[in-house]
Amino acid sequence: MDDVRKYLARISCSGPCPPTLETLRYVHLNHLMSVPFENLTVHIGERVRLELPLLYEKIVLMRRGGFCFENNGLFSWLLSQMGFDVTILSAQVRNRFTGAYGPPFDHFIMMVKLDGHRWLCDVGFGSGFQLPLSLETDSPQAQSHGVYRIRSQGDFIFMETKSETEVSGSAEEESWLEQYKFTLESRDRDDFRAMCDYHQSSVSSIFFCKSLCSLLLPTGRITIMGRRLIITSLTSEDGQQAMKTTTDLSNEEITELLREKFGIVLPSPLTPKDVEIVPPPVTY
């Protein structure tokens, strides 16, 4: 259990952590505020590997982050070690440019069953939900940084986020943006290897086209994309309104910010990247 203790210390969790809903919410939020969502391995000329000992070394010992296959891959292991009933699930992310969904195993998520209740957990989606979402309701679930909803339709379950759109000048109309869709079919870690490789090498993947590092903050989010620093600050209590500021960065400033704001010191020089994503052929 020493590995678990070190992991919990890495995400600033202390005290006894029995497998309760309170603990699940605690470690989920702390993970998002401690472990960056980042793909910098791809942009220092190395490859992302999904073996658990390598993920543990990278995220816990080297204090790095990762994208969904890494962050959720290791977090699902942590929850299992803590005594939670965890099921790995596959999700397909909706492309915000084309509106099309990615292929199966595009995104690694997990379900936790606790006292007869099912919860969706995801600490690897960038600007996703902060606390586990109940899979037992289709009602809106308000959190600190936004409002979310789980909606079932046909064979799929959709994770959606609320957005306010203006109609007729001033009145606001409620609308929901689909983020990804999934089923509750249990998956294995190895099922995601091909898509993990795809996201490191395809001109249709954001992870190949853009170097990213992002972290949830109590008041918003801090992100480095390519050579830009993007700070999102919440301007309303429900997290619906946010203000963005963007600053151009030099290589030296990127290195300094990675160390100061994300706790990341890279083993090799970073080549910042931010090129257009080629829309994938719509086959799904």
Side-chain angles (χ1 to χ4, degrees):
M1 293 301 284
D2 194 39
D3 287 346
V4 170
R5 277 194 294 271
K6 283 182 184 172
Y7 195 152
L8 290 173
R10 163 77 176 96
I11 59 174
S12 302
C13 290
S14 58
C17 289
T20 62
L21 178 58
E22 185 181 11
T23 296
L24 184 65
R25 290 163 64 92
Y26 178 49
V27 296
H28 194 280
L29 180 61
N30 275 41
H31 200 287
L32 286 167
M33 297 184 72
S34 305
V35 179
F37 177 75
E38 55 110 333
N39 66 339
L40 302 180
T41 294
V42 179
H43 300 283
I44 59 172
E46 297 182 4
R47 297 291 287 179
V48 170
R49 303 269 304 278
L50 298 185
E51 291 84 356
L52 280 171
L54 297 178
L55 293 182
Y56 182 89
E57 180 183 12
K58 179 181 180 181
I59 291 172
V60 178
L61 302 182
M62 296 175 65
R63 304 188 71 81
R64 288 279 305 280
F67 54 13
C68 73
F69 307 109
E70 301 171 279
N71 285 354
N72 281 330
L74 195 61
F75 187 63
S76 60
W77 171 84
L78 173 69
L79 294 181
S80 295
Q81 294 294 306
M82 294 174 70
F84 288 100
D85 179 355
V86 182
T87 304
I88 294 170
L89 307 177
S90 157
Q92 296 167 247
V93 178
R94 184 175 184 271
N95 186 306
R96 60 193 172 105
F97 304 109
T98 66
Y101 281 90
F105 307 107
D106 191 34
H107 184 46
F108 184 126
I109 56 175
M110 72 211 83
M111 173 177 66
V112 172
K113 292 179 187 169
L114 192 58
D115 300 326
H117 200 110
R118 298 168 304 169
W119 298 91
L120 179 67
C121 295
D122 186 353
V123 296
F125 191 60
S127 56
F129 50 88
Q130 302 84 61
L131 299 169
L133 291 178
S134 171
L135 286 167
E136 308 298 342
T137 179
D138 60 1
S139 298
Q141 301 182 52
Q143 299 189 359
S144 58
H145 289 47
V147 183
Y148 307 88
R149 183 174 75 176
I150 298 293
R151 178 177 61 86
S152 296
Q153 181 182 327
D155 296 332
F156 286 98
I157 300 169
F158 294 81
M159 193 282 279
E160 302 176 330
T161 183
K162 186 178 176 184
S163 86
E164 303 290 356
T165 53
E166 280 197 7
V167 290
S168 66
S170 59
E172 285 189 342
E173 184 182 75
E174 182 181 289
S175 67
W176 292 90
L177 295 176
E178 296 169 4
Q179 302 290 307
Y180 53 74
K181 65 180 182 179
F182 59 99
T183 70
L184 300 182
E185 181 181 347
S186 177
R187 307 294 192 172
D188 294 320
R189 296 175 187 282
D190 284 349
D191 294 338
F192 295 86
R193 289 187 187 279
M195 281 307 293
C196 182
D197 288 340
Y198 164 86
H199 279 302
Q200 297 179 75
S201 55
S202 171
V203 293
S204 295
S205 173
I206 187 173
F207 301 110
F208 178 74
C209 295
K210 301 178 188 294
S211 52
L212 288 164
C213 189
S214 186
L215 192 65
L216 183 72
L217 303 174
T219 55
R221 175 169 289 277
I222 180 170
T223 301
I224 298 174
M225 179 185 287
R227 298 183 182 278
R228 289 178 296 142
L229 171 66
I230 305 162
I231 295 185
T232 308
S233 304
L234 301 180
T235 56
S236 63
E237 284 189 13
D238 61 1
Q240 286 292 99
Q241 275 86 39
M243 184 176 68
K244 276 188 181 181
T245 58
T246 303
T247 312
D248 291 331
L249 302 171
S250 66
N251 283 1
E252 294 75 20
E253 287 170 326
I254 291 172
T255 300
E256 192 175 320
L257 279 168
L258 285 174
R259 186 179 68 248
E260 282 186 9
K261 301 296 185 183
F262 301 92
I264 289 179
V265 178
L266 295 171
S268 307
L270 173 69
T271 304
K273 189 175 181 182
D274 187 358
V275 301
E276 287 294 311
I277 302 166
V278 177
V282 178
T283 55
Y284 295 91

